[in-house]
Amino acid sequence: MSAKNSDEISLDKLIEPSLLLLVQKKPSHGYELIQNFNCLNPEEEVEPGTIYRHLRKMEKKGFLESSWKTSESGPARRLYNITGEGMKALDNAVVKIEQQKQELEHFLAVYREQDKQGGNLDEA
Amino acid sequence: MSAKNSDEISLDKLIEPSLLLLVQKKPSHGYELIQNFNCLNPEEEVEPGTIYRHLRKMEKKGFLESSWKTSESGPARRLYNITGEGMKALDNAVVKIEQQKQELEHFLAVYREQDKQGGNLDEA
DNA sequence: CTATCTAGGTGCATGTTGCACATAGGTAAA
DNA sequence: TTTACCTATGTGCAACATGCACCTAGATAG
């Protein structure tokens, strides 16, 4: 997360936590997760390729398990399930997210404090 | 920000916004900013090399200006000042940070909602 | 037969990071 | 003097992540 574009200060996107959360709610395949992710985080556009790669990565790490399912209509799907390790990872991620939320709040507090003092005089 | 370590779900570190904020407060050189950054964000350890590279990058983008200062003691320092563009960038970053804070809160809300329902039964 | 949607992926160029190392001025101790 | 350490700024390289474009392939609609 971070600044990928040329003149952008990038903050993170909750890709892996969101995927774990969605799969925990309901076992799903990648294509479905892409759509639900874009519904859950409408602000952040994420490439399909990125999602698929994260899913494979999390499977390698043991957070997800997958199996191929053929349905009546359409091509086969790789169905993901969350593992015990994955649930632990999600809980750990939640702790980090709470922590990061506090860091953001701390930053904003410092910013506003500083703004109050040396701040922009246009509003005077 | 993102997952750099092998089994870590990385959220961002407010490197560039923090540097802009610190330089806005007081024109500084890199080494000083590294220490103040680690004081401002004690949770996040950041490599000196990373800080220096962000400073040069932000200078290229026009958010900072630098000039060499020799002092009575020690080697020369590159002193950074924030520009008008840099202040705009900081304000934009603040908007994004507020937005991201809301995304984190939204994620946490969904997580807790889901936990309440299908959640872990250990606590029952 | 062609276009389109679903579904899952890969190749390559680019950008970012961690780690180690290089350079260099100054200071204090052995 | 030589050694060691602190200040101060950076680079080289390997590893990793992403955006963009592209590929495969089943099914379905025209």
Side-chain angles (χ1 to χ4, degrees):
Chain A
M1 127 133 11
S2 315
K4 268 66 209 183
N5 243 335
S6 55
D7 56 14
E8 268 277 337
I9 295 170
S10 131
L11 315 175
D12 234 329
K13 318 165 192 179
L14 299 167
I15 299 179
E16 299 199 359
S18 295
L19 292 175
L20 289 172
L21 191 61
L22 288 167
V23 174
Q24 190 191 47
K25 183 173 182 182
K26 180 168 91 65
S28 314
H29 58 281
Y31 193 83
E32 187 182 17
L33 288 166
I34 288 162
Q35 321 203 317
N36 289 338
F37 178 87
N38 289 329
C39 166
L40 182 68
N41 292 27
E43 316 291 340
E44 321 267 15
E45 284 295 306
V46 177
E47 294 287 314
T50 303
I51 301 275
Y52 285 119
R53 281 189 272 227
H54 276 284
L55 290 170
R56 307 307 303 276
K57 196 177 98 187
M58 288 198 287
E59 187 174 16
K60 263 185 212 144
K61 290 200 267 183
F63 299 163
L64 297 174
E65 282 169 350
S66 76
S67 57
W68 285 98
K69 298 287 172 196
T70 57
S71 75
E72 325 80 24
S73 72
R77 302 161 170 186
R78 188 188 282 277
L79 191 72
Y80 283 98
N81 269 279
I82 193 166
T83 65
E85 279 296 303
M87 294 203 252
K88 278 190 224 164
L90 177 54
D91 291 346
N92 290 341
V94 165
V95 172
K96 293 238 175 106
I97 289 164
E98 280 163 342
Q99 190 180 302
Q100 216 222 347
K101 192 191 128 197
Q102 285 173 22
E103 283 165 28
L104 298 186
E105 281 165 355
H106 177 238
F107 177 90
L108 291 170
V110 172
Y111 171 78
R112 291 196 185 107
E113 181 63 25
Q114 190 167 315
D115 209 42
K116 211 189 302 170
Q117 294 168 2
N120 212 317
L121 303 174
D122 294 330
E123 61 227 55
Chain B
M1 149 187 168
S2 314
K4 266 66 208 185
N5 244 333
S6 56
D7 55 15
E8 269 276 338
I9 295 168
S10 133
L11 316 174
D12 233 329
K13 318 166 190 178
L14 300 166
I15 299 179
E16 297 199 0
S18 297
L19 292 176
L20 288 173
L21 191 60
L22 288 167
V23 174
Q24 190 190 46
K25 184 174 181 182
K26 179 170 91 66
S28 314
H29 59 281
Y31 192 82
E32 186 181 18
L33 288 166
I34 288 163
Q35 321 204 317
N36 290 338
F37 179 86
N38 288 329
C39 166
L40 181 67
N41 293 27
E43 317 289 340
E44 321 265 16
E45 283 295 306
V46 177
E47 294 287 314
T50 303
I51 301 277
Y52 285 117
R53 279 190 273 225
H54 276 284
L55 289 170
R56 306 307 301 278
K57 197 176 97 187
M58 289 197 288
E59 187 173 15
K60 261 184 212 145
K61 288 200 269 183
F63 299 163
L64 296 175
E65 282 169 349
S66 76
S67 56
W68 285 99
K69 298 288 172 193
T70 57
S71 73
E72 326 80 24
S73 72
R77 302 161 170 185
R78 188 188 282 277
L79 190 73
Y80 283 98
N81 269 280
I82 193 167
T83 65
E85 280 296 302
M87 293 202 251
K88 276 190 225 165
L90 176 55
D91 290 347
N92 291 341
V94 165
V95 172
K96 293 236 175 108
I97 288 165
E98 280 163 342
Q99 190 179 302
Q100 215 221 349
K101 192 190 127 197
Q102 283 174 22
E103 282 165 28
L104 297 186
E105 281 165 355
H106 178 237
F107 177 88
L108 292 170
V110 172
Y111 171 78
R112 292 197 184 106
E113 181 63 25
Q114 189 165 314
D115 208 42
K116 212 188 300 170
Q117 293 169 359
N120 213 315
L121 303 173
D122 294 332
E123 60 227 55

